[in-house]
Amino acid sequence: MTKTGVDYAWFENDFPDIAEAYCFTLVRGLSPAELMSRLERRLEAPLQGIVEVVDAAFAQYDLEDGARQLIGMTTVGAWTLLIEPNGYLGVTEERVLPASAGASWVSHFVNVNAVGTFLWAEDQALRLCFDPMFPDDRWGTTPDELLDVMTRIGFVRC
């Protein structure tokens, strides 16, 4: 059975503090340490749990007036997961493409105004990028490669 967005409605209920503005990124082929180095980020105190990450991110944003953002990282199998409460680094092409050298990069961003971006890069090539509200407007080197998947899960109507 194909899952659709309805199957993930629990996310907003269980994690309201991050659900309205986030960027989640999965990177295969780079450890968290390698990714930190490529993104020219520095390691801060370890945080435990999504609530602590969200609270620290918003505190950092307020303290720095948005000039610096907090990124949480962990491993999920062979992937590195980046969690950005109220962030967008994972869909910033000028940062993503160089950092994706030798790696797979998949990212989803949404903000409080429902502006969103899905981005897929492979080894410095932008394969697919689109706003989930307007999935017919896609770009990248292979903008239609995932069209069948996008259609099955409800992004694109045939």
Side-chain angles (χ1 to χ4, degrees):
M1 173 183 269
T2 300
K3 292 193 178 282
T4 66
V6 173
D7 295 303
Y8 300 98
W10 57 266
F11 178 70
E12 288 184 17
N13 294 329
D14 292 356
F15 302 103
D17 292 339
I18 195 171
E20 67 181 26
Y22 65 83
C23 186
F24 293 140
T25 302
L26 285 165
V27 180
R28 184 180 59 212
L30 298 174
S31 69
E34 291 170 310
L35 197 48
M36 291 278 289
S37 175
R38 287 187 185 193
L39 294 173
E40 299 173 356
R41 301 294 173 192
R42 70 174 191 248
L43 186 60
E44 301 281 340
L47 301 171
Q48 296 292 318
I50 193 67
V51 172
E52 196 171 332
V53 170
V54 170
D55 290 347
F58 279 97
Q60 181 71 43
Y61 187 88
D62 291 342
L63 181 68
E64 302 278 343
D65 199 26
R68 285 183 61 220
Q69 295 181 3
L70 182 134
I71 300 172
M73 285 192 203
T74 191
T75 55
V76 179
W79 296 78
T80 294
L81 171 65
L82 283 75
I83 300 171
E84 299 177 71
N86 200 35
Y88 51 86
L89 177 72
V91 294
T92 305
E93 291 180 37
E94 59 269 12
R95 299 301 303 272
V96 167
L97 296 179
S100 73
S104 299
W105 187 291
V106 180
S107 194
H108 178 250
F109 155 82
V110 70
N111 72 12
V112 69
N113 299 317
V115 173
T117 303
F118 174 88
L119 182 147
W120 168 35
E122 294 276 345
D123 195 19
Q124 298 184 298
L126 180 64
R127 302 287 300 272
L128 170 64
C129 196
F130 68 95
D131 180 337
M133 293 285 283
F134 306 100
D136 291 335
D137 184 18
R138 299 177 300 282
W139 61 95
T141 59
T142 58
D144 294 336
E145 186 171 337
L146 299 179
L147 193 55
D148 61 329
V149 174
M150 292 172 67
T151 302
R152 273 197 323 266
I153 63 176
F155 273 121
V156 181
R157 308 256 191 276
C158 291

